[in-house]
Amino acid sequence: MKTLEQAYQEFNFDSFLAEQLVGTAESVNAYVECCERYLGLNKTALIWEGNNGESAEWTFEQLAEASGKLANYFVSVGLKEGDCIAGLLPRTPELLITILATWRMGAIYQPLFTAFESKAIEHRINTAKTKLIVTNDEQRKKLHGVAITHILTAHPLNTLSHHDADFWTELTKQSSVFAPVMQNFEDDFLMMFTSGTTGLAKSVPVPLKAVLAFKGYMAYAVDLREEDSFWNLADPGWAYGLYYGIAGPLSLGHSIIMDERAFSVDNAVQIIQKYKVSNLTGSPTAFRMFFGFKEKFDSSIKQHLRVVSSAGEPLTPEVIHWFNHDLNVNIYDQYGQTELGMVIANHHALEHEKKVGSAGFANPGHRFAVLNQNNEEVEKGGIGTLAIDFTQSPLTWFKGYGGNNLKSFVGQYYLTGDTVKLNEFGGVDFIGRADDVITTSGYRIGPFEVESTLLECEEVLESAVIGKPDPARTEVVKAFVVLKPKFSASDELNRKLQEYVRSRLSKHAYPKEIEFVDALPKTSSGKIQRNLLKQQEIAKMQGIQKAV
């Protein structure tokens, strides 16, 4: 296995481009890279599991035929290169056909997560100036009153409204022949939005150059091999699921699995066993759920599960240990953002120091830095803001929010807003979002370390930790805890959890308050919204003060 240092030394942007893409920086198309280049090989591109027990496989040839017809339909209703086309669909063949057809005609694909309601949808399509939405019956009702010129509905149960068209009916009218529109690296092919945890979601246009970066992550960090059975658990309505569940693997000619059903541990175990998944990626939320119901994982899974990658939030040590000890597989933390893609990782395909709790090292083609309050790079052991050095990161592609808003840049650095430590190996230890870090009696505490310690307790399924404002200490540590079904909240359990954290972590970091809750607030992509919990606490305190 190659070392990380060797990969850094050998990386050359021009050579990587020539090796990985059919096209060039001046003539490239995402459909060509993710589908057309693999025609004639009789390879499976999509494995689909439906809501009602049905399943199907689609070859690259079948997707090429369907996407050509849909691209011709798009053109027939007046759409053109550079227009924005949205998919408000679950994980179905229609979704993948829509994505490939959009790219084929040089248009921009916009994902709309199926958990969104009308207000969230309207904000995104108004901002993106979306021309057409492809949806289905279940989601169609969310578009009543939304100003959109064209709606294409799959499997209509009722009479189509006056400006709707039926997906499969329209495809039967079209030719499958459609020449891909070639573009350059700076042309956009995706219109993403940030998760909106701190205000209205901001648009993040993604240029075609990103396809090259996606391939790098899949190769170096995920270690996707031709013989792998690969599954990304993340929903393609969000960046990780779209970048690395669809574009990344398909660009390498690899099949993808799409499970239309809502996520559950039972469904996930079924898919992993049925398809003998060897390479699994997903979010810590899913993997925490796996750990919470670890008795459901048959020992046969360890015979084929080779590597697991996690992105979104740091993994907890007990989850890492369970995968390693019980399933005999390494699960590695990896780091990225909608604006960057995945840029830091513990790499499955490269040898380097692996430290539990660390996000790892920069992917080849990227360089990170940790900056202090004066935006100066810190030495090992220093704590500061994680930044990406764009002058030494040839695979980076972010052009700013809305295409030109560069407020997240300071000089050559993109500031992630995450607080990290530059560890003893030169890697990154995640501490927390800058606004999540807790200051209590002069100590700075990352919520993640307290949450991780709570999750070591057998009673705890999930936890979220915030700093509750306190006049004497600035803040006190407060934990919100979701218990596993067979356990009940009690004062005794409260004290037990407090004492455990005190003994395992420190006297100043244990939660002074614990509140047992049924569920934690999360973004649609599964990240815990600590800011909402903190706002609730502030509102409670303000209410008490007014009453007094």
Side-chain angles (χ1 to χ4, degrees):
M1 186 182 292
K2 187 180 295 185
T3 68
L4 181 61
E5 283 303 318
Q6 286 174 324
Y8 286 157
Q9 293 169 8
E10 294 173 6
F11 183 85
N12 175 274
F13 179 81
D14 292 332
S15 298
F16 190 69
L17 169 59
E19 292 168 3
Q20 296 294 330
L21 295 189
V22 171
T24 66
E26 292 76 36
S27 181
V28 64
N29 179 281
Y31 158 78
V32 172
E33 298 298 336
C34 294
C35 185
E36 185 176 279
R37 67 181 297 183
Y38 299 107
L39 299 183
L41 302 178
N42 196 29
K43 296 181 68 173
T44 298
L46 169 65
I47 299 168
W48 170 68
E49 288 283 326
N51 266 331
N52 303 309
E54 67 273 50
S55 61
E57 293 190 6
W58 288 67
T59 63
F60 284 100
E61 287 78 9
Q62 290 172 311
L63 290 172
E65 181 178 359
S67 66
K69 292 179 177 181
L70 185 56
N72 274 310
Y73 169 77
F74 288 156
V75 171
S76 75
V77 298
L79 299 187
K80 60 186 184 303
E81 177 184 354
D83 283 342
C84 198
I85 297 170
L88 179 61
L89 288 164
R91 293 169 288 240
T92 59
E94 292 90 348
L95 174 66
L96 185 53
I97 293 166
T98 298
I99 294 170
L100 292 174
T102 301
W103 292 345
R104 191 166 180 167
M105 64 171 287
I108 302 167
Y109 176 71
Q110 176 186 13
L112 294 173
F113 186 43
T114 52
F116 286 158
E117 295 298 336
S118 298
K119 184 177 180 181
I121 293 169
E122 194 159 17
H123 166 67
R124 285 163 173 79
I125 66 171
N126 287 344
T127 302
K129 298 180 174 58
T130 308
K131 297 292 197 301
L132 182 148
I133 297 178
V134 183
T135 188
N136 66 0
D137 283 302
E138 181 185 3
Q139 297 292 322
R140 175 63 181 85
K141 59 182 179 291
K142 298 177 182 179
L143 301 178
H144 293 313
V146 174
I148 185 74
T149 306
H150 301 286
I151 297 176
L152 192 60
T153 304
H155 308 301
L157 299 176
N158 304 307
T159 303
L160 291 166
S161 63
H162 71 282
H163 66 307
D164 281 18
D166 173 50
F167 187 93
W168 290 106
T169 299
E170 295 303 325
L171 259 63
T172 62
K173 302 175 184 177
Q174 303 294 335
S175 165
S176 62
V177 178
F178 192 101
V181 175
M182 306 309 289
Q183 300 175 295
N184 66 59
F185 261 3
E186 295 307 310
D187 288 320
D188 298 326
F189 79 116
L190 294 173
M191 180 60 71
M192 308 302 294
F193 280 76
T194 60
S195 56
T197 55
T198 56
L200 287 175
K202 300 184 289 292
S203 64
V204 179
V206 180
L208 281 157
K209 181 183 178 183
V211 175
L212 195 60
F214 296 168
K215 293 166 80 81
Y217 168 73
M218 299 301 299
Y220 293 122
V222 174
D223 190 21
L224 184 59
R225 303 176 183 177
E226 186 173 354
E227 65 271 19
D228 275 334
S229 172
F230 172 74
W231 187 27
N232 185 331
L233 292 161
D235 192 286
W238 293 100
Y240 193 73
L242 183 53
Y243 296 176
Y244 308 111
I246 292 181
L250 289 180
S251 73
L252 294 173
H254 207 287
S255 62
I256 62 174
I257 297 172
M258 296 175 73
D259 184 6
E260 186 179 353
R261 299 170 298 177
F263 174 81
S264 73
V265 175
D266 287 333
N267 288 345
V269 169
Q270 179 196 8
I271 294 291
I272 292 169
Q273 291 178 326
K274 180 177 180 178
Y275 295 106
K276 292 183 169 53
V277 172
S278 59
N279 195 320
L280 180 68
T281 67
S283 70
T285 301
F287 297 135
R288 286 195 298 265
M289 295 298 290
F290 284 7
F291 177 72
F293 297 95
K294 55 188 175 183
E295 67 277 2
K296 296 179 181 290
F297 284 77
D298 187 276
S299 60
S300 65
I301 289 175
K302 70 172 67 174
Q303 296 175 14
H304 51 79
L305 190 60
R306 182 177 66 84
V307 292
V308 184
S309 303
S310 175
E313 290 184 307
L315 287 165
T316 50
E318 74 284 352
V319 171
I320 296 171
H321 176 77
W322 173 65
F323 269 97
N324 188 261
H325 185 266
D326 289 28
L327 296 180
N328 195 33
V329 64
N330 287 322
I331 180 170
Y332 286 161
D333 256 325
Q334 296 161 357
Y335 173 90
Q337 292 184 338
T338 301
E339 298 92 327
L340 300 169
M342 301 300 290
V343 291
I344 295 173
N346 290 287
H347 298 81
H348 284 290
L350 299 171
E351 285 187 357
H352 60 76
E353 292 285 350
K354 306 292 197 308
K355 178 185 176 183
V356 174
S358 170
F361 301 85
N363 295 346
H366 300 83
R367 177 184 181 268
F368 70 76
V370 180
L371 306 182
N372 61 22
Q373 292 180 336
N374 298 320
N375 294 319
E376 300 165 333
E377 297 193 16
V378 305
E379 300 294 328
K380 287 181 181 179
I383 293 176
T385 299
L386 177 62
I388 304 300
D389 181 355
F390 264 50
T391 63
Q392 298 187 54
S393 301
L395 286 183
T396 50
W397 43 263
F398 181 52
K399 299 185 290 188
Y401 301 106
N404 55 24
N405 181 342
L406 300 176
K407 68 177 184 179
S408 53
F409 283 84
V410 173
Q412 72 202 60
Y413 301 107
Y414 166 85
L415 305 182
T416 66
D418 289 316
T419 302
V420 300
K421 178 180 179 180
L422 187 62
N423 67 33
E424 64 272 29
F425 302 116
V428 167
D429 293 349
F430 188 85
I431 294 177
R433 290 292 297 174
D435 51 3
D436 284 341
V437 175
I438 301 164
T439 302
T440 179
S441 300
Y443 294 101
R444 285 168 59 82
I445 299 167
F448 173 68
E449 60 183 351
V450 184
E451 293 166 358
S452 298
T453 308
L454 283 166
L455 285 169
E456 294 175 7
C457 301
E458 63 172 343
E459 300 90 347
V460 178
L461 180 62
E462 289 191 290
S463 66
V465 170
I466 65 163
K468 177 181 176 180
D470 180 85
R473 301 181 181 89
T474 307
E475 293 177 313
V476 295
V477 180
K478 178 168 182 176
F480 296 83
V481 170
V482 179
L483 296 174
K484 294 176 184 175
K486 62 182 178 180
F487 296 102
S488 300
S490 67
D491 291 340
E492 181 181 357
L493 180 56
N494 188 316
R495 290 190 293 271
K496 176 183 176 182
L497 298 181
Q498 287 178 317
E499 185 54 38
Y500 183 80
V501 177
R502 189 203 299 264
S503 64
R504 285 278 288 149
L505 205 53
S506 69
K507 291 181 179 179
H508 67 269
Y510 86 96
K512 301 289 192 300
E513 295 183 28
I514 294 179
E515 182 175 335
F516 295 104
V517 295
D518 294 330
L520 299 174
K522 297 174 183 173
T523 66
S524 299
S525 57
K527 295 180 183 178
I528 296 170
Q529 293 179 299
R530 298 183 188 89
N531 61 317
L532 291 185
L533 295 171
K534 189 162 187 171
Q535 290 167 15
Q536 291 170 13
E537 290 302 308
I538 292 172
K540 285 180 190 176
M541 294 180 67
Q542 290 173 341
I544 292 171
Q545 290 170 354
K546 287 180 181 178
V548 173

